[in-house]
Amino acid sequence: MATITEISPLAPPNGFPQLPVIKGVRFAVAQAGVKYANRTDVMLAVLDPGSTVSGVFTKSATRSANVLDCQNKISAHTDEGAAIIVNSGNSNAFTGRAGDVSVKALCEAVAQQTGLPEARVFTSSTGVIGERLPHDKIISKVGELTQALDERHLEAAAQAIMTTDTFSKGASTTIETPEGVINISGIAKGSGMIAPDMATMLVYLFSDAKISQELLQEMVSKASDETFNCITVDSDTSTSDTLIMGTTGQSDSSEITKGSANAAAFYQGLRDVMLELAHLVVRDGEGAQKFVEVNVTGATTDQDARKVASAIANSPLVKTAIAGEDPNWGRVVMAVGKSGAAADRDLLSIWFGTVLVAEKGWVAESYKEEDAAAHMKGQELTIRVDLGLGDGKSTMWTCDLTHGYISINADYRS
Amino acid sequence: MATITEISPLAPPNGFPQLPVIKGVRFAVAQAGVKYANRTDVMLAVLDPGSTVSGVFTKSATRSANVLDCQNKISAHTDEGAAIIVNSGNSNAFTGRAGDVSVKALCEAVAQQTGLPEARVFTSSTGVIGERLPHDKIISKVGELTQALDERHLEAAAQAIMTTDTFSKGASTTIETPEGVINISGIAKGSGMIAPDMATMLVYLFSDAKISQELLQEMVSKASDETFNCITVDSDTSTSDTLIMGTTGQSDSSEITKGSANAAAFYQGLRDVMLELAHLVVRDGEGAQKFVEVNVTGATTDQDARKVASAIANSPLVKTAIAGEDPNWGRVVMAVGKSGAAADRDLLSIWFGTVLVAEKGWVAESYKEEDAAAHMKGQELTIRVDLGLGDGKSTMWTCDLTHGYISINADYRS
């Protein structure tokens, strides 16, 4: 694996945020030496009895043994508590029967040490595909992990799950309700193999909200589609993408019920935290130098708008132009054309930032290249396309495609 | 535009091939100074009366004025002869009404000088999108071009249509029939914005075959789908892709009729020439250092096989691994998983060259990384995937993703 020493220039300037403690969930980390030396590579989270767990997973046909196991367990309605164990350095994907054996062994060990049933132990693995997971190394640390559990160790957990990430990622929000506040804290990892249908991303969210598993699952699925499924780094989709959310119900606030004002506020807060984490993943995109929002409006349908946004956000030619700070809007036109969405050359308008670049099938009369070039020099860019056909809209977030991406990925395993 | 001085390492060692003269079609080139200095940038081809013209064009929703005009004209059944005029340096795409005006002006000028009806004049433009085509510069050369027409100037034509190409591309074949030989000669340009549904590619094919426009169009469409639509450099699709084939009917051979032995032989020859040109385009892929054949078998359907081949051939992570000579088959597994095709982890087999890498859901027992690594060091690679599900198959050709691609495209317009 290439050693990544430099922190992404798009990382938050103030580092990892202060995350509120979520009552009822505790964390611990350890150095198991799965692949990396001299760093933590395992995290354990344990949720108190009374908690619920929801999740969203990759749709890849070659998804990992861990993902398959989590999917089988996620919708159980039980309040026995739960545990999540995550390792970095090895994805346990495409390891055949041995992969299933590793997951089973991890779950057994965690169940034994925590007193939880195996059906309430969730696992994730991230890293290289196709190498046997040395699960014994992890299992030998489970006792130590269980002893070290502490509500305040979420930041350490965010560090332990990193692979090619150049910074650890966290976000939180606090929702005020008449009876008391509800907290949501989340962490994520991911920086390559990032594309809709989830990414090479692991995301763990925790809240003290009182909410049923069914309603939370519904919210998590919807918010995931509006956040994590709207980012792309390189159009590649991982075999291990996992988002798990646990809620402990230990806030003073009353239960969140479907259609209530609390439900709306909670959903908004949840979506905000997920969007912030999704943006952090893009900001750590392999080799990224620029953070790019792609805004598409005026499509025939939202689905068409998403096709166009995705074609722009995934186009190597658009992304290399951004890397070169070149307002090459012709490549945006190309991407619109290839997207498969309904489009009319003469109704299309394109903006870089607030600079109208093209309209009525051609470069805008008011356009001066130096204006767009000035926008392209920034670190935070917006490309906006209006198709002029209807009300369909979509927003996606991506980064540029640079020499850094090639350097990292042409040498990942060496 | 970045200056590309080095010839692709994948270029044919013997340079441009000797192409047979096609009786009844003549070529000329000129320096019009559309964008480039000190090189030819316009070619004119004129086909004798009695010729037919067929073609295949980009499906982009933002295709150029030239493409739209060609599409309107291509299926006319007339034997008045035809002309094709092509410029490099400016694509005349997304130039609004001005683009249509340029095409009309070019067609009028060529019609006037050649005596052909405007409806028989086809135009192509390739280069930067969104800048007004200085058609007067080209028109001022049409008289000179018409005077210089010569059957032997096809190689010069291949040079005049180049943009970021590092070598000119030609291929030919000769088909023996009882009554005499039929010749096919073709040229192509293209090296970036290359993906199925045609590429940023211009292809011109000529033959002395006697064949109806309808039958030739049918053959050209089919062969195009099996050749040019099976290559990808960067998954981006151009607004200008054009393939035009003219046949003069001046061979001694008898007319090619549907279902005849001559038709089968002619189709095979035509497909061979198109495949050779398609491969040459990949060999000139921007920044390419390796030529890669992706072979997929055992899919539920041919369509599914194509999805898998395309997901592998377009994956930035697979292509950077190839650039790094890393037999990272985990990324192939990832691409299979994300393709959307039916796949079963445990039935999947993967080979790099002749080295069996993975089978039964995991790395093959016989696998030694040094064997695969040795294959990856070559310039001509094969990735083979068998899905173990059915008889569906597909082959695609691509190249690696290197620092060269970023260098060329992060600075294309400067």
Side-chain angles (χ1 to χ4, degrees):
Chain A
M1 169 166 209
T3 309
I4 313 302
T5 45
E6 255 177 71
I7 291 174
S8 166
L10 306 174
N14 300 323
F16 197 86
Q18 199 70 38
L19 301 182
V21 160
I22 306 299
K23 269 190 246 169
V25 50
R26 293 165 299 143
F27 308 89
V29 300
Q31 298 192 7
V34 170
K35 183 176 182 94
Y36 310 126
N38 304 317
R39 56 159 279 193
T40 57
D41 59 354
V42 181
M43 83 105 172
L44 176 68
V46 176
L47 292 117
D48 281 356
S51 299
T52 73
V53 180
S54 302
V56 185
F57 303 91
T58 180
K59 294 191 185 105
S60 169
T62 54
R63 51 195 180 271
S64 72
N66 308 59
V67 169
L68 292 166
D69 185 63
C70 285
Q71 286 179 307
N72 286 337
K73 293 172 172 174
I74 199 78
S75 55
H77 301 133
T78 164
D79 60 0
E80 299 166 286
I84 306 167
I85 186 159
V86 184
N87 74 273
S88 56
N90 183 314
S91 73
N92 194 34
F94 210 70
T95 44
R97 276 277 304 136
D100 305 328
V101 169
S102 290
V103 170
K104 176 86 177 145
L106 284 171
C107 290
E108 276 175 4
V110 172
Q112 200 187 342
Q113 291 289 333
T114 58
L116 287 163
E118 253 181 76
R120 297 305 288 162
V121 181
F122 299 87
T123 69
S124 306
S125 295
T126 176
V128 168
I129 295 175
E131 291 180 11
R132 190 173 192 141
L133 181 69
H135 58 257
D136 286 344
K137 289 186 180 176
I138 303 171
I139 288 170
S140 73
K141 298 288 174 182
V142 171
E144 173 190 317
L145 284 161
T146 311
Q147 295 305 313
L149 289 165
D150 189 301
E151 283 180 337
R152 294 162 302 177
H153 288 171
L154 187 52
E155 180 173 353
Q159 287 161 1
I161 63 176
M162 289 166 59
T163 58
T164 56
D165 302 63
T166 73
F167 62 90
S168 56
K169 302 168 185 72
S172 69
T173 194
T174 296
I175 300 131
E176 312 270 351
T177 76
E179 305 86 14
V181 299
I182 301 170
N183 295 297
I184 303 175
S185 289
I187 58 172
K189 66 84 39 181
S191 62
M193 230 191 250
I194 302 291
D197 274 349
M198 301 289 294
T200 297
M201 238 175 5
L202 300 180
V203 182
Y204 304 96
L205 295 156
F206 304 96
S207 175
D208 49 11
K210 291 186 178 69
I211 183 168
S212 71
Q213 200 274 339
E214 295 89 332
L215 181 55
L216 185 65
Q217 180 64 53
E218 194 183 312
M219 287 190 182
V220 163
S221 298
K222 182 165 189 282
S224 179
D225 198 49
E226 296 174 359
T227 57
F228 292 109
N229 283 347
C230 292
I231 64 172
T232 179
V233 167
D234 57 11
S235 79
D236 275 337
T237 304
S238 158
T239 51
S240 304
D241 297 330
T242 294
L243 179 151
I244 292 178
M245 177 156 191
T247 52
T248 63
Q250 298 188 19
S251 122
D252 297 329
S253 141
S254 57
E255 178 158 352
I256 296 169
T257 52
K258 197 162 177 171
S260 67
N262 279 358
F266 181 76
Y267 180 78
Q268 188 57 47
L270 176 62
R271 189 183 177 284
D272 287 350
V273 171
M274 285 168 72
L275 189 60
E276 193 172 336
L277 289 172
H279 285 184
L280 288 173
V281 170
V282 173
R283 286 178 186 281
D284 207 5
E286 289 170 343
Q289 301 284 323
K290 307 211 181 246
F291 180 82
V292 186
E293 177 169 307
V294 178
N295 246 306
V296 176
T297 54
T300 308
T301 61
D302 284 354
Q303 202 181 12
D304 258 18
R306 194 149 170 164
K307 278 187 197 166
V308 172
S310 168
I312 295 169
N314 279 322
S315 161
L317 287 170
V318 170
K319 290 156 76 87
T320 46
I322 293 166
E325 302 188 336
D326 175 6
N328 191 327
W329 55 273
R331 295 183 183 176
V332 177
V333 173
M334 175 282 298
V336 172
K338 79 163 181 170
S339 70
D344 180 330
R345 186 191 73 184
D346 297 334
L347 297 176
L348 190 63
S349 305
I350 299 169
W351 292 258
F352 283 166
T354 57
V355 181
L356 176 64
V357 174
E359 61 176 347
K360 297 173 193 154
W362 204 11
V363 65
E365 270 185 51
S366 59
Y367 178 65
K368 294 198 205 80
E369 180 150 322
E370 59 262 37
D371 297 344
H375 179 69
M376 300 303 285
K377 290 203 185 302
Q379 243 180 15
E380 314 273 321
L381 308 184
T382 311
I383 298 176
R384 189 180 146 210
V385 170
D386 188 275
L387 295 168
L389 296 173
D391 296 325
K393 61 185 168 37
S394 176
T395 301
M396 289 193 74
W397 294 273
T398 189
C399 56
D400 52 347
L401 174 57
T402 68
H403 285 289
Y405 182 85
I406 306 288
S407 297
I408 294 166
N409 286 299
D411 203 31
Y412 179 83
R413 294 206 315 181
S414 313
Chain B
M1 169 166 210
T3 309
I4 314 300
T5 44
E6 255 177 71
I7 291 174
S8 167
L10 305 175
N14 300 322
F16 198 86
Q18 200 69 36
L19 301 181
V21 160
I22 306 297
K23 269 190 247 168
V25 50
R26 292 165 300 142
F27 308 90
V29 299
Q31 297 193 6
V34 170
K35 183 176 182 90
Y36 309 127
N38 305 317
R39 56 159 278 192
T40 56
D41 59 354
V42 181
M43 82 106 172
L44 176 68
V46 176
L47 293 117
D48 281 356
S51 300
T52 72
V53 180
S54 302
V56 185
F57 303 92
T58 180
K59 293 190 184 106
S60 168
T62 54
R63 51 194 180 271
S64 71
N66 309 58
V67 169
L68 292 166
D69 185 62
C70 285
Q71 287 179 307
N72 285 336
K73 294 171 173 174
I74 199 78
S75 56
H77 300 135
T78 163
D79 61 0
E80 299 167 287
I84 306 166
I85 187 161
V86 184
N87 74 274
S88 55
N90 183 313
S91 74
N92 193 36
F94 211 70
T95 45
R97 276 279 302 137
D100 305 328
V101 170
S102 290
V103 170
K104 175 87 178 143
L106 284 171
C107 291
E108 277 174 4
V110 173
Q112 202 187 344
Q113 291 287 334
T114 57
L116 288 162
E118 253 180 77
R120 297 306 288 163
V121 181
F122 299 87
T123 69
S124 307
S125 296
T126 177
V128 169
I129 296 175
E131 292 181 11
R132 190 175 193 140
L133 181 68
H135 58 257
D136 287 344
K137 289 186 182 176
I138 302 170
I139 288 170
S140 74
K141 297 288 174 181
V142 172
E144 174 190 316
L145 284 162
T146 311
Q147 294 306 312
L149 289 165
D150 188 301
E151 284 179 337
R152 292 163 305 176
H153 289 170
L154 186 53
E155 179 172 355
Q159 287 160 1
I161 63 175
M162 287 164 62
T163 58
T164 55
D165 303 63
T166 73
F167 62 89
S168 55
K169 300 167 186 72
S172 70
T173 195
T174 296
I175 299 131
E176 312 271 350
T177 76
E179 305 85 13
V181 300
I182 300 171
N183 295 297
I184 302 175
S185 289
I187 59 172
K189 68 82 42 180
S191 62
M193 230 189 251
I194 302 292
D197 274 350
M198 302 289 294
T200 298
M201 239 175 5
L202 300 180
V203 182
Y204 304 97
L205 295 157
F206 303 96
S207 174
D208 49 11
K210 291 185 177 74
I211 185 168
S212 71
Q213 200 275 338
E214 294 90 332
L215 182 55
L216 185 66
Q217 180 64 53
E218 196 183 310
M219 287 190 183
V220 163
S221 298
K222 181 165 189 281
S224 179
D225 198 50
E226 296 175 358
T227 58
F228 292 110
N229 284 346
C230 291
I231 63 172
T232 179
V233 168
D234 57 10
S235 81
D236 276 338
T237 304
S238 157
T239 52
S240 304
D241 296 329
T242 295
L243 178 151
I244 292 178
M245 177 155 190
T247 52
T248 63
Q250 298 187 19
S251 118
D252 296 329
S253 137
S254 56
E255 179 158 352
I256 295 169
T257 53
K258 198 163 177 171
S260 66
N262 280 358
F266 181 76
Y267 180 78
Q268 188 57 46
L270 175 62
R271 190 183 177 282
D272 287 349
V273 171
M274 286 168 72
L275 189 61
E276 192 171 337
L277 289 172
H279 285 183
L280 289 172
V281 170
V282 173
R283 286 178 186 281
D284 207 6
E286 289 170 344
Q289 302 282 325
K290 308 216 183 242
F291 179 81
V292 186
E293 177 169 308
V294 179
N295 246 306
V296 177
T297 54
T300 308
T301 60
D302 284 352
Q303 203 180 11
D304 259 19
R306 193 150 171 163
K307 277 187 198 166
V308 172
S310 169
I312 295 168
N314 280 320
S315 160
L317 287 170
V318 171
K319 290 155 74 88
T320 47
I322 294 167
E325 303 188 335
D326 176 5
N328 192 327
W329 55 272
R331 296 185 183 175
V332 177
V333 173
M334 173 282 299
V336 172
K338 79 163 182 170
S339 70
D344 180 329
R345 186 192 71 183
D346 297 334
L347 297 178
L348 189 61
S349 305
I350 299 170
W351 292 259
F352 284 167
T354 57
V355 181
L356 176 65
V357 175
E359 61 176 346
K360 297 173 192 155
W362 204 10
V363 66
E365 269 185 50
S366 59
Y367 178 65
K368 294 198 205 78
E369 179 150 322
E370 60 263 37
D371 297 342
H375 180 69
M376 302 303 284
K377 290 206 185 302
Q379 242 179 17
E380 314 273 322
L381 307 184
T382 310
I383 298 175
R384 189 180 145 209
V385 170
D386 188 275
L387 296 168
L389 296 173
D391 296 325
K393 60 184 168 38
S394 175
T395 301
M396 290 194 71
W397 294 273
T398 190
C399 55
D400 52 347
L401 174 57
T402 67
H403 285 289
Y405 182 85
I406 306 290
S407 297
I408 294 167
N409 286 300
D411 203 32
Y412 179 83
R413 295 207 314 181
S414 312

